[in-house]
Structure formats: structure tokens, C-alpha cells
């Protein structure tokens, strides 16, 4: 009997493609509609949805099968779409396995019906919020240029009222990164249990150039240091911050769970609404299209040479400056999409955010090392039992 290949992956599936009801200034996915013919209907057909769910389940080797519904705005697909998805999940899920559904939304379409549905089926929901109203409304706007804060908070509050604990995803730009106390304090006021901070990097095309919205690396580093100190003093054990969770994994000699900090990537591909499979959410382009689920199975595309080489390139293209870094195990060069800078020695491929990450990881290292020592001390000695 052939042993099943072990796979660790998380697919970002796009049920409404790049379609969104908002027009956030920094959105990197709205422009993906250019990959398809004019007049394309950006909603996943039922036959594609069924094939995707079946293949995703067949490709999963872990006991827990995770579906991650992304966009664009995934709520545009409608509740009936997800009812059908759940029915097919139930149909194809083998005995002994568990399915978890996650959804990332801008929150503006959340209503009572959505809340009841998401709560009934135990969805893990993430809501994009960039801080207090003035900071959030700078770049998170509707199609007519209006701020979205009030609508987002209404959706967030409805989710909480229905017993859900939404994760907050906050994009750090050149403005809100200067206000760590205000941003973090606001999220604590909302009662957040899990926060992910995403530094904004928008290359301009010029060598190493970035947009004005792009976060300054040192502002990002100082932001995370300030939030870490507040978290350590008051919130440890009560509130989780994704970057801190990833840093602490090194204390227990655990592999990173977040793709940007893994030694190799390729485990977070995209399946678009028509079944196209792309190497990564940040590399949805013709060069990184691996195939389509109508022609190849998800398992074959995950295991393909093209996807393997894409993943290995993250490690093999690290500049020597990174290989000699004291916090390499925490960072691993972060995401390849951000490697647009030059090292002090003039070598290409340095992550734009390097200085900020280096500042933060060195700042939290004493705590991580203390946790590591405590953990090692609590483990039984194999010689004494």
C-alpha cells in the first residue's frame, strides 16, 4: 500500500474573485480582474465549487481540513453559496476528519442573517480594521470615496453580539504605524482576542521604490516594540498578537505557522473563482498560474515541480546578509514579495522591512529566550525520567 504524501497547506479560495463592494486605496487584489475577459461574472460556478471542495478534502492529509474564504469580498457570493459549500463539505468529508471554515471580510455587509449563519456553522471570521475612525478611514474607503468605519464597526459589533470572536486584521501604513498606543488601545477597547498586524509595502516599479502609503520600516519596528511592551505588561494570556505568537514558536523549537516566516513557502496558494490555481495570493499573475482544477487535481498542483521551485526560491535566494543575521530563525527573510531592497554590501534581495523586523525581533528576544529556558527546564530529563 502506497503511503499518502504529507501536505501542509492553506488555500485562499476566491468565491467572488477580485470583486469587492469597497475600493480601499491600497488593495492589491482588485486589479486581478484584468486577468479575465471583460464582462466576466465573478462568482464561482457550482460545478467549480463542488470540484474544489472535493479536491481540497482529498489533498488534505491532516485530521483537520481548513477552508479559507477570501476575496475581494467573499460575502458577495451570498449565503446560499456557502450553504451549498457546507453541503458538499459534509458529503465529501471522510469519517474521523473535522472541517473548519474561515472567512476574511471587510465587515460592511454583515447583517443579522449573516451572523446567524456564521455562528451556527462555527466560522472563524476575520474583520479588517485599521484603527480608530480617523486612521481607518484614511485608506479603507467605499467606491465613492467615503470612509467605511461606521459600517465596519456595525458589522463587527453584530458578530460579537452573536457570540463570535472576530480576529482583527490591521494594515499598518505610513500614518497609523506612528500611533501604536492609540491603535492597540482601540482594539483592546473592542475586546479583541486576536490581532494580526500587516505592514503595507507597495513597490512602485522603480528599483527599491515604494508608495507614499507604504509603512516606514523603523516606524513598523517601533510600533511592534511598543505594542509588545504593552502586551507583555498587561495582556499576555488574554490577547494574542500573531507576530508575537510566531516569535514565541522559536522558544519551543516549533516551525512557524505563518507562511511569511517559514524557511520555504508555497503552502498558501490561491484558487480563483474559475478554478485557476496560483502559487500565492501575492503572485496571482500569468507567470505563477500553475493550472486549473478542471485539468489537474489540487494535490498534483501542490506537489508540482513549479510549486516546489516557487517555494524553494524563498530560501535559496536569501542574500548572505540575511544568512548571517542573528534573528534569521524568527524571520527567514519574510515574504519574497517584499524583497526589493539592497543589503549594505550592495546585494539584491533584502526585505524592505528588514530594519523594522530586526529591531522588533531583537527587542523581544530576551523574553523569548527566557520562555525557552523555562520550557527546557520543565521538560523531563530523559536520563533521570
Amino acid at each position: 500500500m502506497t503511503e499518502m504524501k504529507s501536505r501542509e497547506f492553506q488555500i485562499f479560495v476566491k468565491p467572488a474573485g477580485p470583486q469587492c463592494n469597497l475600493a480601499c486605496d491600497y488593495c492589491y487584489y482588485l486589479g486581478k480582474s484584468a486577468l479575465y475577459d471583460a464582462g466576466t461574472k465573478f462568482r464561482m460556478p457550482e460545478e467549480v465549487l463542488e470540484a474544489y471542495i472535493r479536491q481540497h478534502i482529498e489533498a488534505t492529509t491532516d485530521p483537520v481540513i481548513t477552508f479559507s474564504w477570501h476575496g475581494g469580498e467573499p460575502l458577495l457570493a451570498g449565503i446560499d453559496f456557502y450553504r451549498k459549500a457546507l453541503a458538499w463539505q459534509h458529503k465529501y468529508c471522510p469519517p474521523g476528519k473535522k472541517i473548519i471554515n474561515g472567512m476574511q471580510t471587510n465587515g460592511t455587509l454583515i447583517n443579522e442573517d449573516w451572523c446567524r449563519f456564521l455562528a451556527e456553522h462555527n466560522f472563524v471570521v476575520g474583520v479588517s480594521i485599521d484603527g480608530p475612525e480617523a486612521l481607518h478611514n484614511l485608506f479603507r474607503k467605499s467606491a465613492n470615496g467615503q470612509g467605511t468605519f461606521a459600517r465596519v464597526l456595525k458589522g463587527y459589533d453584530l458578530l460579537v453580539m452573536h457570540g463570535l470572536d472576530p480576529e482583527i486584521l490591521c494594515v499598518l501604513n505610513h500614518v497609523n504605524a506612528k500611533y501604536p498606543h492609540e491603535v492597540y488601545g482601540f482594539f483592546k477597547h473592542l475586546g479583541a482576542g486576536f490581532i494580526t498586524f500587516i505592514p503595507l509595502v507597495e513597490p512602485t516599479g522603480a528599483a527599491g521604490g515604494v508608495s507614499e502609503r507604504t509603512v516606514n520600516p523603523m516606524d513598523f519596528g517601533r510600533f511592534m516594540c511598543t505594542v509588545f511592551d504593552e502586551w507583555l505588561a498587561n495582556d499576555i494570556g488574554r490577547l494574542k498578537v500573531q507576530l508575537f505568537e510566531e516569535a514565541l514558536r522559536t522558544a519551543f523549537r516549533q516551525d512557524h505557522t505563518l507562511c511569511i516566516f517559514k524557511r520555504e513557502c508555497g503552502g498558501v496558494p490561491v484558487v480563483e473563482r474559475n478554478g485557476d490555481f496560483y502559487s500565492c495570493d501575492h503572485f496571482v499573475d500569468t507567470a505563477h498560474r500553475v493550472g486549473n482544477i478542471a485539468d489537474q487535481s489540487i494535490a498534483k498542483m501542490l506537489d508540482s515541480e513549479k510549486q516546489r521551485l516557487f517555494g524553494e526560491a524563498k530560501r535559496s535566494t536569501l542574500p548572505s546578509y540575511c544568512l548571517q543575521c542573528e534573528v534569521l530563525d524568527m524571520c527567514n527573510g519574510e515574504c519574497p514579495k517584499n524583497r526589493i531592497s539592497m543589503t549594505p554590501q550592495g546585494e539584491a534581495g533584502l526585505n524592505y522591512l528588514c530594519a523594522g523586523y530586526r529591531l522588533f525581533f531583537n527587542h523581544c528576544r530576551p523574553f523569548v529566550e527566557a520562555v525557552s529556558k523555562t520550557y527546557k527546564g520543565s521538560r523531563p530529563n530523559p536520563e533521570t525520567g
Side-chain angles (χ1 to χ4, degrees), residues 49-171:
L49 175 62
E50 182 178 11
Y52 163 67
I53 288 173
R54 176 177 53 78
Q55 291 185 28
H56 184 127
I57 290 172
E58 290 172 351
T60 303
T61 57
D62 293 335
V64 177
I65 305 168
T66 302
F67 287 85
S68 300
W69 305 95
H70 275 243
E73 174 49 54
L75 267 63
L76 288 174
I79 291 178
D80 287 344
F81 174 92
Y82 292 101
R83 289 197 177 103
K84 291 170 184 173
L86 292 172
W88 278 317
Q89 288 176 355
H90 179 75
K91 176 181 178 179
Y92 292 112
C93 185
K97 294 210 172 187
K98 176 183 179 182
I99 288 178
I100 295 176
N101 284 282
M103 179 180 288
Q104 179 58 37
T105 175
N106 61 46
T108 62
L109 298 177
I110 294 291
N111 56 26
E112 293 283 351
D113 289 341
W114 271 114
C115 288
R116 283 191 290 268
F117 172 80
L118 295 170
E120 178 186 354
H121 298 288
N122 300 308
F123 271 66
V124 179
V125 182
V127 179
S128 298
I129 310 175
D130 286 354
E133 184 169 8
L135 296 174
H136 175 93
N137 282 343
L138 279 174
F139 303 119
R140 297 198 63 82
K141 300 174 182 176
S142 61
N144 64 3
Q146 298 299 306
T148 60
F149 180 83
R151 295 163 61 194
V152 173
L153 261 290
K154 181 180 178 181
Y156 180 90
D157 289 341
L158 274 174
L159 290 167
V160 173
M161 286 172 58
H162 282 263
L164 292 153
D165 184 17
E167 174 188 354
I168 291 176
L169 276 78
C170 173
V171 175

Side-chain angles (χ1 to χ4, degrees), residues 293-312:
I293 64 173
D295 306 316
Q296 307 180 61
S297 70
I298 285 174
K300 285 185 178 180
M301 287 187 279
L302 285 167
D303 299 341
S304 68
E305 181 78 353
K306 184 169 185 176
Q307 192 68 359
R308 182 183 68 80
L309 292 174
F310 173 82
E312 289 179 353

Side-chain angles (χ1 to χ4, degrees), residues 191-242:
F194 198 103
I195 307 170
T196 294
F197 292 107
I198 304 171
L200 176 66
V201 180
E202 294 181 308
T204 59
V210 294
S211 70
E212 290 185 358
R213 289 188 294 262
T214 293
V215 67
N216 176 278
M218 291 303 289
D219 283 347
F220 167 63
R222 286 188 287 264
F223 180 100
M224 296 311 307
C225 289
T226 300
V227 172
F228 178 81
D229 291 344
E230 170 71 12
W231 172 82
L232 190 59
N234 300 303
D235 303 314
I236 189 169
R238 187 184 66 81
L239 191 161
K240 294 184 177 181
V241 177
Q242 188 180 55

